[in-house]
Amino acid sequence: MSFLKRAGLYCLRQRFKTIILFLVLTLIATFMLTGIAIRDAAKGAAADVQTAIGGKIELNLDTEGHMGSGQQNGWGTVYGYNGDLITQDIVKAISKVNGVVDYNSEDTAAYYGAGVDFKYLPAAFGLSYTPYGESSAYTATLSSGKCSSFQSGKYKLVDGRHITPDDEHACLISKELADYNKLSVGDKVKMYSLDSDAISEFEIVGIFDGTEGASGNALTVDEIPANCGYIDCATLFEMFGDELNGYQQLTIYVEDPVSVQNVYDRISALPELKGKSLKLSIDTDEYDVVSTPLESLQKLVNTTIVMIAVVSACVLTLLLTIWIRGRKKEIGILLSIGKSKANIILQLFTETFAAAVIAFGASVPFSNLIAAKAGALLVSRVTRGTANLNVKIDAAYLLPLYLIGILLIAMSVIASSWTVVRSKPKDILAKMS
């Protein structure tokens, strides 16, 4: 009789033991599948973060040693930057560098405008240093959607659209300011700049919220976040002409944070930057905030999978050892009639693997139930909500599960049966008698 037939007859005869073995293997497979699914979900989330956030390189003015001599005025000593600005030629050269996918300029408080035909939310001091009252600060930008306050989620666009590089005479204002003046998207407002001594007209292309309750005890109108907005860079250049022929800051976006150093090196080598009083730096803070917890989660899950495999092997070995010692007589008879040790071990392996084949398949629905909850728990504990995991059991996971299962079963069967199988048939039967 072949070892396959003997294994099948034993499983049918010892139904209770087979059911126990099935339940143990189902539990082991469920934990293994859950771990594999969470690990792959973390890898997928890390890849999505790379694509969504990318890497950043900052190009800024190097003010050290380029601030000129101070000039006295009614407000004190004023220092002016006398170095290089980020010109359109530099921007164009950077945009052509391999690996650069986009760029943006965000010049905070680049423009101060007093409302000609609208009013700012009032502050403690009602200053009137212009013919139209007090001015508030506006950030000049190429793409307002890429500005830090919108990227971080502090501000959110609630109506209209963001400012784009093609815009001229466009602005974003807060919902608080729009409601205060009964303004809406498409309306035009006029602002007076004391710096240029000119009135400029802007079209409201978007309205954002997120400023509510942030005014505190503001002394001046520009200290109230709701009074501060965004304008396009083109209009700023138009207003100040030759006085402002470049950007103060440029954020360069790289698709893959892993290759950000290579892109940095290419930009550094551009002839347009040689000898310029500009400084280049790598900024991966936003990516690191999300990717570091995901990497920690992957390491934790990998460690857990190894621990599950080790514990599973020990439990399975212990269980099989107890059962095989109760089969000494059977093994002794098989050895005495000429069955080889390998043949007997193959029978024991087949008995266990037969239960495993059904158990591993049955573990899939249980794993689906547990994996999502376990993934959510780990995300809340490890990543602290900085990322979401899409945990699901894929059919492709069954192959590594069966390979790991075969290895664990083989090790457990050999370890648990060797002490009995290596004995001589007459010694086994003598002890039994």
Side-chain angles (χ1 to χ4, degrees):
M1 184 183 298
S2 68
F3 70 87
L4 291 175
K5 188 174 182 179
R6 293 200 310 272
L9 292 173
Y10 181 84
C11 290
L12 291 174
R13 187 171 66 253
Q14 299 290 337
R15 293 184 183 87
F16 181 71
K17 288 184 178 180
T18 303
I19 292 173
I20 293 176
L21 188 60
F22 165 80
L23 294 175
V24 170
L25 290 170
T26 301
L27 187 63
I28 291 171
T30 299
F31 285 131
M32 292 295 295
L33 273 179
T34 299
I36 294 171
I38 294 174
R39 181 199 62 190
D40 286 1
K43 286 183 179 179
D48 291 341
V49 166
Q50 285 187 3
T51 303
I53 297 178
K56 292 180 184 178
I57 298 174
E58 297 286 344
L59 182 61
N60 294 285
L61 308 182
D62 188 359
T63 57
E64 188 174 351
H66 299 95
M67 292 306 295
S69 57
Q71 296 181 356
Q72 296 290 331
N73 62 18
W75 302 92
T77 304
V78 178
Y79 293 89
Y81 175 73
N82 60 6
D84 299 298
L85 294 176
I86 305 169
T87 63
Q88 287 290 351
D89 289 339
I90 293 174
V91 174
K92 188 180 295 184
I94 290 173
S95 67
K96 295 178 181 178
V97 171
N98 185 30
V100 173
V101 293
D102 206 349
Y103 57 86
N104 185 45
S105 180
E106 181 180 1
D107 191 0
T108 307
Y111 174 74
Y112 277 82
V116 175
D117 51 6
F118 69 95
K119 298 294 182 184
Y120 289 115
L121 276 69
F125 295 152
L127 304 178
S128 297
Y129 51 81
T130 80
Y132 304 96
E134 194 171 355
S135 298
S136 188
Y138 289 79
T139 296
T141 181
L142 288 170
S143 303
S144 58
K146 289 185 171 63
C147 290
S148 56
S149 292
F150 288 100
Q151 290 286 299
S152 67
K154 178 182 177 182
Y155 292 163
K156 181 181 179 182
L157 194 70
V158 293
D159 195 11
R161 63 172 177 83
H162 276 291
I163 293 172
T164 67
D166 297 327
D167 278 323
E168 293 183 9
H169 294 272
C171 72
L172 292 184
I173 64 172
S174 71
K175 188 176 185 302
E176 279 189 273
L177 185 62
D179 292 343
Y180 187 70
N181 290 276
K182 294 182 173 54
L183 295 170
S184 58
V185 171
D187 290 344
K188 293 185 178 180
V189 294
K190 293 180 179 179
M191 287 186 272
Y192 170 78
S193 170
L194 188 63
D195 295 321
S196 62
D197 191 23
I199 294 176
S200 300
E201 187 177 64
F202 296 87
E203 180 184 348
I204 301 171
V205 297
I207 295 173
F208 62 91
D209 68 1
T211 62
E212 297 80 1
S215 58
N217 298 317
L219 301 179
T220 58
V221 297
D222 63 320
E223 292 181 358
I224 300 175
N227 288 331
C228 301
Y230 297 81
I231 66 169
D232 61 279
C233 287
T235 305
L236 189 70
F237 293 161
E238 176 189 301
M239 286 187 288
F240 292 98
D242 294 336
E243 294 180 28
L244 186 64
N245 58 1
Y247 302 101
Q248 307 281 318
Q249 173 272 347
L250 193 72
T251 300
I252 304 154
Y253 296 90
V254 180
E255 185 175 9
D256 186 1
V258 176
S259 63
V260 69
Q261 183 62 53
N262 294 332
V263 179
Y264 172 89
D265 294 338
R266 295 187 197 114
I267 295 174
S268 299
L270 289 173
E272 287 81 0
L273 291 179
K274 295 298 182 183
K276 296 292 192 297
S277 56
L278 303 171
K279 57 182 179 180
L280 200 64
S281 59
I282 295 175
D283 178 14
T284 58
D285 290 345
E286 189 177 354
Y287 171 74
D288 291 340
V289 166
V290 182
S291 65
T292 300
L294 285 173
E295 290 173 0
S296 299
L297 179 59
Q298 289 181 53
K299 292 178 181 177
L300 175 62
V301 175
N302 283 331
T303 303
T304 304
I305 291 174
V306 173
M307 291 177 63
I308 290 172
V310 172
V311 172
S312 299
C314 292
V315 171
L316 193 58
T317 300
L318 180 62
L319 185 63
L320 292 176
T321 299
I322 295 172
W323 288 350
I324 289 173
R325 284 183 177 176
R327 301 172 65 181
K328 286 184 177 181
K329 185 176 181 180
E330 175 190 347
I331 293 172
I333 293 172
L334 290 172
L335 288 172
S336 64
I337 62 176
K339 298 296 181 182
S340 66
K341 295 177 181 179
N343 184 276
I344 295 171
I345 292 175
L346 283 173
Q347 176 190 337
L348 299 174
F349 174 84
T350 303
E351 293 168 2
T352 309
F353 185 69
V357 169
I358 304 172
F360 290 173
S363 68
V364 173
F366 295 108
S367 301
N368 271 318
L369 293 173
I370 296 173
K373 294 181 180 180
L377 178 63
L378 286 171
V379 164
S380 64
R381 296 291 180 87
V382 180
T383 70
R384 301 186 184 278
T386 58
N388 293 317
L389 295 187
N390 182 22
V391 184
K392 59 181 181 180
I393 305 300
D394 195 282
Y397 295 156
L398 289 176
L399 178 59
L401 176 65
Y402 276 103
L403 291 176
I404 294 172
I406 290 172
L407 180 62
L408 289 179
I409 291 169
M411 292 171 58
S412 299
V413 168
I414 292 172
S416 58
S417 62
W418 188 248
T419 55
V420 176
V421 173
R422 70 177 181 177
S423 302
K424 293 180 180 180
K426 62 178 182 179
D427 295 333
I428 296 173
L429 295 176
K431 291 178 181 178
M432 295 300 298
S433 60

